[in-house]
């Protein structure tokens, strides 16, 4: 197991090098001069533009720029925005917000998704199963934007139960955006688990367990669930990683100063260092979460062994 | 705001498509912005919360966008200030008086009462030090180019001098400014944020300084700028000016989406929003009752014409393009009549602006336009250029439709580009057709509405317009003493532009301000800034 984890960790290095280079090259390839755009309608003097270009190595060819950047990263300098703010500052400020949001969303996803999926499977083809099926299709079909504005309007504006925007009210601030971010995935988790559990409940070992006279709750909870959860864990793992970078819309609508919004802004402003710094972090998250998911398999299914 | 109010009423009448109630409440509120006017403020002035967008930076010399400038406007007081509430006049700030015999050498007498929020005095040397720091190319300040009229600017930029030759502290309270050329509008220009004084500690580490800028303005920072979240400021009780801030405290809430801010005002979580999202405008009456108001601003939107391109070199052809546009219909169709169609280059919100300076060149006349276009040999195919952004594509397409219909143009293409790429092409004069751009006055002078955009070789002269007649008229106006003489000359310069049409005026963008029940007297000046410091907070 330890050797397996070590080997996986070593594989991270090329993954991150390749990912950062591709991202850097993509930002580099966006047409238009980012320094000129900084001034907008009111052009900056040539001298000012040149100082800024030198400062951010923008006149160098792509490879040189990239190596200069990575040389900085190697000694812990992740660069700055065009306004001189260190990228590490941005990450330190914004990452907790995004993590908090993703955490709330995953919890919602697990609680509601797993309960709904389990109930639907146990009461297969009964009312509750139909309810779960129909409502999950509905949630997936409605655009996330509509869900967000709907929740904001009803629970924020009309009822006033939750804040409309910002992070000023701590945990309460994250509930509505958490639901929005979790909505589609929760529906998918419910459907995924239902189908997987229905299948598992028909397998031989579950029937054996039932035949041996085990209680229904023990058969489902201890034997069937562990197997049925494997695809769900894979899904939630992958989803968690996308949530970190892909919450742009939710963060914007609920005015949460998270990572997603900053990536969006930095791409528009062509701030290569910011984009690469944050995206590298996300790539790192993605591979780590994947590793954890893989390890989790071993616990869920004793047949899976890593060497 | 009597004059502006009058104009606002005029705009309301023109906007026939808007519901009558909307027009009424937009105008009927009167200049005080309140409903009954006699609101009682809470003890001490209370706390007001206002929407803002995330500033690029909070460095006076480096801030050239609104999100930062709105904040700095409260934290700093320049040598001169503008009284936007009345005739858009320049009034004393740190400088008590200023004079010049030749509009080249200016002597400003500074008040000895202004102090920075840390207690340091603000004197003539403060300005010398601040300005030299801002123009130093090593500091890469975006606002540096605003100093280009001051003697010795180019030497500093070229590295031949460390300090501006033209700025000297004669004594603690006398500042002398020498210019390269006579410039009567200097007092107007000095109101701009690039000219604000900064305390010495700012220059040690500007990046750290901007987390909690120390200024000399009506309000002082309380805590640090929490990025993307909030900026809090308290009234600076030692501010010596005539109209100190009314609220005791301003809490700026930073939003990434104005729709969210709009809902927060509706829910009473936020007091002021000056950028109502366009899709909400038709619901204002339902959502806010009396708590909203419409303002004309100086935001000028135009279609520029690449005069360096052979197809657009003929002034008759350019006039034809202007006459073929039905601005009122476009305003109705695109914005429900909530913009002000532009028939001038100078915004009517400044005293020198004339609502219909353009005359028949901006009057819709399809037949005359078609005839003129044909005589001038206008091309039968057009390519329109725009940057992508909220609604830009939509209205550029609407313009194209009218040109196609009224001028017998066969086909119209569109080039829609990201802003950075768009600017590159404009800068390189690589645009082959009418292009969309806007302009907002950094300081309220007719000079700033024209000189940077239309004089030969000027940095923002994207049209490549070059007219000796215009250049010398601007030069003459700049030399003239501020006042009626200069105003007249600037208007003559405007007339030349409207005859030559290097750009086609489209409209001035109106803004809507919404506020919560607990504040009154919210106004917006022509820079699109809410006068947050002058609102009345009526409830704790």
């Amino acid at each position: 197991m330890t050797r397996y984890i070590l080997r996986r960790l070593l594989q991270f290095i090329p993954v991150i090098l390749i990912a950062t280079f591709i991202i850097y090259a993509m930002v580099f390839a966006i047409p238009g001069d980012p320094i000129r755009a900084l001034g907008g309608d009111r052009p900056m003097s040539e001298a000012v533009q040149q100082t800024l270009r030198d400062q951010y190595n923008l006149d160098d060819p792509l490879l040189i720029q990239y190596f200069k950047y990575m040389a900085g990263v190697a000694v812990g300098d992740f660069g700055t925005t065009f306004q001189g703010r260190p990228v590490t500052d941005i990450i330190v400020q914004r990452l907790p917000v995004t993590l908090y949001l993703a955490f709330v969303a995953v919890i919602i996803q697990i609680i509601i998704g797993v309960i709904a999926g389990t109930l639907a499977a146990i009461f297969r083809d009964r009312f509750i199963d139909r309810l779960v099926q129909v409502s999950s299709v509905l949630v997936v079909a409605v655009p996330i934007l509509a869900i967000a504005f709907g929740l904001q309007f009803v629970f924020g504006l009309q009822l006033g139960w939750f804040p409309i925007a910002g992070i000023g009210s701590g945990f309460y601030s994250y509930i509505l955006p958490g639901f929005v971010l979790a909505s589609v995935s929760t529906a998918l988790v419910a459907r995924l688990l239902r189908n997987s559990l229905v299948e598992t409940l028909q397998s031989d070992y579950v029937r054996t367990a039932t035949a041996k006279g085990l209680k229904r709750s023990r058969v489902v909870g201890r034997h069937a669930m562990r197997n049925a959860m494997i695809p769900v864990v894979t899904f939630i793992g992958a989803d968690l990683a996308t949530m970190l970078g892909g919450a742009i819309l939710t963060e914007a609508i609920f005015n949460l100063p998270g990572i997603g919004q900053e990536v969006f802004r930095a791409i528009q402003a062509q701030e290569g260092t910011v984009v690469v710094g944050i995206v590298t972090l996300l790539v790192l998250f993605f591979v780590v979460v994947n590793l954890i998911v893989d390890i989790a398999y071993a616990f869920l299914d004793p047949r899976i062994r890593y060497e | 705001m009597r004059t502006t109010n009058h104009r606002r009423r005029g705009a309301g009448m023109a906007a026939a498509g808007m519901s009558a109630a909307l027009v009424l409440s937009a105008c009927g509120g009167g200049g005080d912005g309140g409903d009954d006017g006699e609101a009682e403020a809470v003890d001490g002035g209370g706390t007001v919360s206002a929407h803002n967008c995330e500033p690029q930076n909070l460095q006076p010399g480096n801030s050239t966008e609104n999100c930062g400038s709105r904040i700095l406007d409260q934290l700093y007081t320049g040598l001169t200030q503008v009284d936007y509430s009345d005739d858009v006049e320049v009034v004393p700030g740190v400088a008590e008086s200023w004079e010049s015999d030749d509009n080249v050498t200016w002597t400003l007498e500074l008040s000895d009462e202004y102090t920075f929020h840390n207690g340091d005095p603000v004197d003539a040397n403060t300005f010398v030090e601040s300005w030299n720091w801002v123009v130093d190319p090593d500091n890469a300040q975006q606002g540096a180019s605003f100093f280009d009229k001051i003697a010795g600017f180019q030497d500093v930029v070229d590295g031949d001098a460390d300090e501006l030759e033209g700025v000297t502290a004669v004594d603690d309270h006398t500042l002398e400014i020498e210019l390269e050329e006579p410039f009567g509008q200097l007092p107007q220009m000095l109101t701009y944020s690039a000219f604000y004084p900064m305390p010495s500690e700012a220059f040690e580490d500007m990046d750290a300084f901007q987390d909690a800028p120390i200024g000399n303005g009506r309000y002082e920072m309380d805590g640090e700028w929490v990025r993307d979240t909030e900026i809090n400021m308290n009234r600076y009780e030692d501010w010596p000016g005539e109209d100190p801030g009314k609220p005791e405290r301003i809490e700026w809430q930073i939003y990434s989406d104005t729709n969210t801010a709009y809902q927060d005002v509706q829910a009473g979580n936020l007091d002021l929003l000056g950028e109502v999202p366009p899709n909400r405008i038709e619901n204002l009456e339902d959502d806010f009752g009396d708590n909203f108001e419409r303002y004309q601003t100086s935001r000028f939107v135009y279609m520029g014409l690449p005069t360096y391109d052979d197809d657009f070199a003929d002034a008759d052809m350019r006039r034809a393009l202007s006459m073929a546009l039905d601005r009122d219909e476009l305003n109705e169709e695109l914005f429900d009549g909530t913009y002000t169609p532009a028939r001038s280059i100078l915004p009517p919100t400044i005293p020198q602006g004339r609502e219909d300076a353009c005359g028949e060149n901006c009057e819709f006349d399809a037949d005359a336009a078609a005839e003129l276009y044909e005589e001038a040999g206008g091309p039968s195919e057009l390519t329109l250029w725009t940057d992508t952004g909220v609604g830009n594509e939509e209205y550029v397409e609407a313009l194209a439709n009218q040109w196609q219909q009224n001028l017998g143009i066969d086909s119209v293409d569109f080039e829609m580009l990201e802003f950075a790429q768009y600017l590159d092409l404009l800068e390189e004069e690589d645009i082959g057709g009418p292009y969309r751009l806007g302009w907002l006055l950094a300081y309220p002078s007719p000079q700033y509405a024209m000189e940077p955009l239309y004089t030969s070789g000027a940095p923002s002269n994207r049209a490549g317009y070059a007219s000796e007649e215009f250049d010398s008229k601007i030069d003459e106006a700049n030399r003239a003493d501020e006042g009626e003489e200069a105003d007249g000359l600037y208007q003559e310069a405007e007339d030349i532009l409207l005859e030559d049409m290097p750009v086609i005026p489209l409209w001035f963008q109106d803004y809507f301000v919404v506020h919560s029940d607990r504040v009154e007297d919210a106004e917006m000046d022509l820079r699109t800034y809410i006068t947050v410091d002058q609102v009345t907070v009526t409830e704790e």
Side-chain angles (χ1 to χ4, degrees), chain A residues 31-33 36 38 41-44 47-48 51 83-85 93-94 152 157 164-165 252-253 255 257 261 270, chain B residues 56-57 64 137 141-142 157 192 207 227-228 254-256 260 263-264 267 420-421 424 427 438-440 448 459-460:
Chain A
D33 177 349
R36 194 173 280 157
L38 206 57
D41 288 350
R42 295 170 196 162
M44 291 180 258
V48 170
T51 313
Q83 302 292 342
R85 186 161 187 239
Q93 186 208 340
R94 289 172 172 266
Q152 208 172 32
L157 189 59
I164 290 171
I253 292 171
N255 205 36
Q261 276 199 57
Q270 299 180 42
Chain B
Q56 266 188 7
N57 62 68
T64 54
Q141 297 286 294
Q142 295 179 38
V157 169
Y192 188 59
D207 288 335
R227 311 290 168 126
D228 299 285
I254 301 172
Y255 289 82
S256 51
T260 312
Q263 290 202 5
D264 255 350
Q421 196 185 359
D424 278 4
E427 179 86 14
W439 190 249
L440 187 67
Y448 192 72
S460 298

Side-chain angles (χ1 to χ4, degrees), chain A residues 77-154:
Chain A
D77 173 11
F78 283 83
T80 66
T81 65
F82 288 149
Q83 302 292 342
R85 186 161 187 239
V87 174
T88 37
D89 275 15
I90 295 179
I91 292 174
V92 167
Q93 186 208 340
R94 289 172 172 266
L95 191 60
V97 174
T98 301
L99 283 179
Y100 202 154
L101 176 62
F103 176 73
V104 171
V106 166
I107 297 292
I108 292 171
Q109 204 172 323
I110 291 175
I111 296 177
I112 300 184
V114 170
I115 292 179
T118 312
L119 287 177
I122 294 174
F123 301 103
R124 190 181 162 197
D125 291 336
R126 305 257 289 278
F127 171 74
I128 196 149
D129 185 21
R130 300 258 186 273
L131 183 72
V132 169
Q133 301 253 26
V134 170
S135 55
S136 61
V137 168
L138 206 70
V139 170
V140 176
V142 174
I144 187 115
L145 209 66
I147 298 179
F149 283 127
L151 289 182
Q152 208 172 32
F153 183 75
V154 175

Side-chain angles (χ1 to χ4, degrees), chain B residues 53-180:
Chain B
C53 34
E54 170 76 353
Q56 266 188 7
N57 62 68
L58 288 184
Q59 307 165 13
N62 205 17
S63 176
T64 54
E65 43 81 43
N66 283 340
C67 312
S69 298
R70 279 181 199 137
I71 302 292
L72 296 173
D73 195 40
Q74 300 298 347
L75 294 176
Y76 289 88
T77 301
L79 285 166
T80 50
Q81 313 179 73
V82 180
D83 182 3
Y84 287 102
S85 66
D86 208 9
D87 287 328
V88 195
E89 258 181 341
V90 175
V91 295
V94 176
E96 283 173 335
S97 63
W98 48 90
E99 58 175 8
S100 174
D101 297 333
D102 50 6
N103 289 339
V104 173
T105 308
W106 290 77
T107 310
L108 295 91
E109 293 300 329
L110 312 195
S111 153
D112 57 4
E113 289 177 76
Y114 279 88
T115 52
F116 283 111
H117 303 146
N118 64 2
D120 290 357
V122 177
D123 57 29
N125 266 312
T126 314
F127 286 93
V128 176
E129 207 183 358
S130 299
W131 294 2
N132 281 327
W133 192 87
V134 172
V135 292
D136 184 344
D138 289 344
N139 298 325
Q141 297 286 294
Q142 295 179 38
S145 45
F146 279 91
F147 290 80
D148 62 0
K149 291 189 185 299
I150 295 177
F153 173 77
Q154 201 52 45
D155 291 341
V156 177
V157 169
D158 296 342
D160 297 335
D162 290 335
E163 296 186 339
L164 285 167
E165 186 200 328
V167 183
T168 31
V170 178
D171 58 49
D172 273 359
H173 299 109
T174 312
L175 184 69
E176 196 174 276
I177 304 175
E178 199 182 322
L179 305 176
E180 293 281 358

Side-chain angles (χ1 to χ4, degrees), chain B residues 22 42 90 330 458:
Chain B
L22 193 86
V42 297
V90 175
L330 286 168

